[in-house]
Amino acid sequence: MNLRSEAAWLVVGAFLMGPVACGKDSSAAPVDSGIADASAGDGGASAPVRTIETRNPFGHTSETENLFADGDFEFTGPSEQPPWHVLGLEGELDLRYDTGARCASGIRCARLAAGSELLGWLATPKSGSIAVSVVAKPASGVCSDVSMRLFDTNDTSRSFDILLASPIPDERGFCHFVGETPNFAGGAPVLFVAIDPSAKGDVLVDDAVALAKGTSSGNARAPDPISSAMANRLARAAAYLRARRFSHLPARVHGSR
């Protein structure tokens, strides 16, 4: 190698070694990701890009005494006698689902269109009362788009309101319905969920829980008054369900074998 070539290589080597000689490792320098620092200028607070949560695919299993046949919609399918049914203005509809974090619990919930009705079977204690809790999430954000009641498919005059705990949805957009009704021993209780025909967008329904209460005072409560239009709707729903119930099986009674 001649002197000119050696000089050239020395210049290149000095150039490459320059950053190290200054005591800085260029490989450790931060890389601009193209994403602005969300904490700058706002006191460190920023909206999360995404959230991660753990979901139980079996639903709200902490309530081991839930009287609903499938309160979380995790096991409902097009079987011979599904625990949930949907009715529209012209008859039976397919039960549609939503999934994931949009639901209140588990990984699946019911999605209902305006004007539809959801019917869900539950068992009944032999005595005492039934405490009911259900959540609904209307796309409109208007809780009054949804109404609920518990009624006996064998005697639709036995009908009880499940009322809103608050007219305002919670921070996740869910409206909470709660109520305590008498037991339906000897009958066949069903939750009736009605979506207002004028509702703007679909409604999610989820996390239905009914628990037997050990008091007997619940049976002193008289059925809630209903309009003739609601009476007709309940009669139509009851006739539909009776036609699809196994006639050779007795009504389900909580605690019986």
Side-chain angles (χ1 to χ4, degrees):
M1 181 180 295
N2 56 38
L3 293 176
R4 181 177 298 180
S5 299
E6 283 189 80
W9 280 111
L10 287 172
V11 170
V12 172
F15 176 81
L16 293 176
M17 293 293 291
V20 177
C22 294
K24 294 181 180 179
D25 183 359
S26 61
S27 65
V31 178
D32 184 2
S33 64
I35 302 176
D37 184 357
S39 63
D42 62 0
S46 61
V49 175
R50 64 182 62 85
T51 58
I52 299 174
E53 61 181 348
T54 301
R55 288 286 176 127
N56 186 342
F58 300 107
H60 196 163
T61 56
S62 62
E63 293 292 358
T64 58
E65 298 297 322
N66 192 355
L67 301 177
F68 276 102
D70 181 19
D72 279 297
F73 301 90
E74 305 300 339
F75 305 103
T76 299
S79 59
E80 292 179 318
Q81 193 181 24
W84 294 96
H85 300 266
V86 180
L87 295 180
L89 296 177
E90 298 181 357
E92 182 178 7
L93 301 174
D94 291 333
L95 177 56
R96 297 183 299 147
Y97 297 101
D98 211 325
T99 58
R102 288 183 292 272
C103 300
S105 61
I107 57 175
R108 194 161 72 160
C109 52
R111 176 180 285 276
L112 304 172
S116 61
E117 301 167 352
L118 178 68
L119 310 169
W121 290 105
L122 66 153
T124 177
K126 294 180 180 180
S127 61
S129 58
I130 303 173
V132 180
S133 170
V134 190
V135 299
K137 186 177 185 179
S140 64
V142 179
C143 290
S144 58
D145 282 348
V146 187
S147 62
M148 300 189 189
R149 63 181 52 243
L150 223 60
F151 79 102
D152 186 355
T153 57
N154 293 340
D155 180 4
T156 56
S157 67
R158 299 176 66 193
S159 169
F160 302 89
D161 291 326
I162 308 300
L163 300 175
L164 278 166
S166 169
I168 303 173
D170 66 15
E171 65 278 2
R172 296 181 59 198
F174 286 99
C175 307
H176 291 245
F177 290 78
V178 295
E180 186 169 345
T181 77
N183 68 73
F184 291 83
V190 162
L191 176 70
F192 178 87
V193 181
I195 310 302
D196 193 302
S198 62
K200 305 298 183 183
D202 289 346
V203 176
L204 303 184
V205 177
D206 200 11
D207 202 14
V209 176
L211 300 176
K213 307 294 285 187
T215 60
S216 58
S217 58
N219 281 336
R221 176 182 169 187
D224 294 318
I226 59 175
S227 65
S228 58
M230 178 57 71
N232 291 335
R233 293 175 72 177
L234 293 182
R236 169 177 172 261
Y240 169 85
L241 291 173
R242 287 196 301 268
R244 286 154 181 80
R245 188 171 62 199
F246 289 135
S247 59
H248 63 281
L249 291 178
R252 292 185 63 205
V253 177
H254 178 62
S256 65
R257 298 293 182 184

